[in-house]
Amino acid sequence: MDKLYIIKIGGNIIDDEQKLAAFLEDFSNIDGRKILVHGGGKLATRMADTLGIQQQMIDGRRITDAETLRIVTMVYAGYINKNIVAKLQSFNCNAMGLCGADGDAILAHKRKHPVVDYGFVGDVDAINTDLADMLLSRNIALVFAPITHDQQGQLLNTNADTIAQELAKGLSTLYEVSLVYSFEKSGVLLNADDDSTVIPSINPDYYQQLKAQKKIFAGMLPKLDNAFTALNSGVSRVIIGKAEQLHQLIQGSAGTTIVNE
């Protein structure tokens, strides 16, 4: 099986032009097949402010009304996505930017919640693995914006971490997939305030132990639960660490590698 790297970058990198350029140069130097999934950064919020469109957040999640959907589609699937693709081309990395509607790449449905109406927020139903495989086999790096669709003509705003995970799960039948979540910390930390306390490797037993001892801080729990869900669905390994250390993360010499054995 060929190797495939699926790498998710967060808004903190997107909002910093120099860091983004350095990261994309590192990404372009990865040998073999690769997919980049990006979040949105602060640009959508700034644009909404400029246009006087009130932004509503519940538990850190954006409520996506019709006006907000227009903005996030323009910013995420438009400016940010194409800016990343153009930069990758400048590093001789042939890339194609997609959102879920392109080529029917990611099918989703509007989130159903018993209490909260999240608006036009999508939860993923299916990945078009044939399309991704066809493009990857031609050595095209794919760059996914966090916008999906429902096949009824409705675009949906979807969590970028989820898109990365669903792509990894869907493509693990065809590739040996490494899923990399890059963010501002150096990995999973024993002490949330000390970047030098990175846990190099976590397996299911050690994870249960860390949880029982309350050694893992709240924000990391959903990331790790998602990592094990991905591993249980066929993904080879999940790596969490700093975007600036992309090569070391892939080599296993930095960050936290999560494995199922």
Side-chain angles (χ1 to χ4, degrees), residues 189 192 207 211 214-225:
L189 307 175
Y207 181 39
K211 271 209 290 199
K214 296 196 165 33
K215 290 270 176 73
I216 292 180
F217 58 102
M220 193 47 83
L221 286 171
K223 267 194 170 56
L224 287 168
D225 285 339

Side-chain angles (χ1 to χ4, degrees), residues 137-232:
S137 67
R138 286 164 171 72
N139 291 320
I140 297 169
L142 306 182
V143 181
F144 273 96
I147 301 289
T148 56
H149 79 133
D150 68 355
Q151 275 184 332
Q152 308 297 311
Q154 181 61 58
L155 292 170
L156 296 162
N157 184 16
T158 299
N159 180 277
D161 279 9
T162 306
I163 286 178
Q165 183 183 322
E166 293 298 332
L167 283 166
K169 281 155 61 176
L171 288 161
S172 64
T173 56
L174 303 172
Y175 295 94
E176 187 190 309
V177 178
S178 294
L179 173 58
V180 181
Y181 287 112
S182 60
F183 70 145
E184 61 278 1
K185 301 272 186 193
S186 293
V188 181
L189 307 175
L190 270 176
N191 175 353
D193 302 317
D194 184 352
D195 231 27
S196 69
T197 61
V198 175
I199 304 164
S201 178
I202 299 176
N203 64 17
D205 290 346
Y206 188 34
Y207 181 39
Q208 293 311 323
Q209 199 183 314
L210 289 166
K211 271 209 290 199
Q213 294 167 351
K214 296 196 165 33
K215 290 270 176 73
I216 292 180
F217 58 102
M220 193 47 83
L221 286 171
K223 267 194 170 56
L224 287 168
D225 285 339
N226 286 341
F228 283 107
T229 303
L231 293 171
N232 291 331

Side-chain angles (χ1 to χ4, degrees), residues 44-224:
T45 309
R46 286 203 298 270
M47 201 165 172
D49 288 346
T50 307
L51 297 172
I53 294 159
Q54 202 71 41
Q55 294 297 281
Q56 217 188 330
M57 306 288 272
I58 293 182
D59 296 333
R61 289 184 187 273
R62 192 190 295 271
I63 301 291
T64 306
D65 60 18
E67 285 301 314
T68 301
L69 181 68
R70 282 183 184 185
I71 289 171
V72 295
T73 303
M74 286 190 278
V75 173
Y76 302 171
Y79 178 74
I80 291 174
N81 188 268
K82 299 312 166 197
N83 187 47
I84 286 173
V85 169
K87 282 198 166 69
L88 287 173
Q89 303 292 7
S90 78
F91 297 125
N92 298 316
C93 172
N94 192 15
M96 183 179 286
L98 300 165
C99 80
D102 296 309
D104 204 16
I106 305 171
L107 180 60
H109 64 270
K110 188 171 179 288
R111 177 173 297 164
K112 297 173 185 75
H113 191 281
V115 186
V116 181
D117 180 2
Y118 283 98
F120 296 103
V121 167
D123 288 326
V124 175
D125 292 319
I127 298 293
N128 187 340
T129 51
D130 288 349
L131 173 76
D133 183 38
M134 181 184 77
L135 295 168
L136 290 165
S137 67
R138 286 164 171 72
N139 291 320
I140 297 169
L142 306 182
V143 181
F144 273 96
I147 301 289
T148 56
H149 79 133
D150 68 355
Q151 275 184 332
Q152 308 297 311
Q154 181 61 58
L155 292 170
L156 296 162
N157 184 16
T158 299
N159 180 277
D161 279 9
T162 306
I163 286 178
Q165 183 183 322
E166 293 298 332
L167 283 166
K169 281 155 61 176
L171 288 161
S172 64
T173 56
L174 303 172
Y175 295 94
E176 187 190 309
V177 178
S178 294
L179 173 58
V180 181
Y181 287 112
S182 60
F183 70 145
E184 61 278 1
K185 301 272 186 193
S186 293
V188 181
L189 307 175
L190 270 176
N191 175 353
D193 302 317
D194 184 352
D195 231 27
S196 69
T197 61
V198 175
I199 304 164
S201 178
I202 299 176
N203 64 17
D205 290 346
Y206 188 34
Y207 181 39
Q208 293 311 323
Q209 199 183 314
L210 289 166
K211 271 209 290 199
Q213 294 167 351
K214 296 196 165 33
K215 290 270 176 73
I216 292 180
F217 58 102
M220 193 47 83
L221 286 171
K223 267 194 170 56
L224 287 168

Side-chain angles (χ1 to χ4, degrees), residues 231-247:
L231 293 171
N232 291 331
S233 304
V235 175
S236 297
R237 58 181 183 151
V238 180
I239 304 155
I240 297 176
K242 241 189 172 71
E244 292 90 330
Q245 297 180 311
L246 184 59
H247 276 304

